[in-house]
């Protein structure tokens, strides 16, 4: 009798714990949906725009540096290939 009662309590506890977890997950999803549906604030839009511009500028700078290094290597190779003038 005690064993059956303990087993029932165990299953009841597991069921309640699972229901709590699902309830929390649903609540978090509702909050995330509300955040997604809200229009963006003007300050957020300007910050995102500024960060895109900054990212583009840094990407362009990296490309320019790579191009300059490539040209410098090519010039060094060409200079090394030329015979010395006597």
């Amino acid at each position: 009798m005690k064993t059956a009662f303990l087993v029932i309590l165990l299953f009841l506890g597991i069921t309640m714990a699972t229901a709590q977890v699902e309830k929390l997950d649903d609540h978090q999803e509702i909050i995330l949906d509300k955040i997604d549906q809200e229009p963006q604030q003007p300050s957020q839009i300007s910050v995102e725009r500024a960060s895109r511009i900054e990212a583009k500028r840094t990407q362009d700078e990296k490309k320019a540096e790579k191009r300059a290094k490539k040209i410098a290597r090519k010039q060094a190779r060409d200079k090394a290939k030329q015979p010395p003038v006597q």
Side-chain angles (χ1 to χ4, degrees), residues 56-70:
K56 177 71 171 152
R57 186 169 51 83
T58 55
Q59 185 180 17
D60 291 343
E61 288 174 357
K62 287 181 182 180
K63 285 182 181 179
E65 287 176 8
K66 284 183 180 181
R67 229 179 287 123
K69 286 181 182 179
K70 187 176 180 181

Side-chain angles (χ1 to χ4, degrees), residues 20-37:
Q20 290 289 329
V21 170
E22 289 178 5
K23 184 178 178 182
L24 288 175
D25 289 342
D26 290 342
H27 184 65
Q28 290 174 350
E29 289 176 9
I30 291 170
I31 291 173
L32 291 174
D33 287 342
K34 285 182 182 178
I35 291 172
D36 289 340
Q37 291 173 359

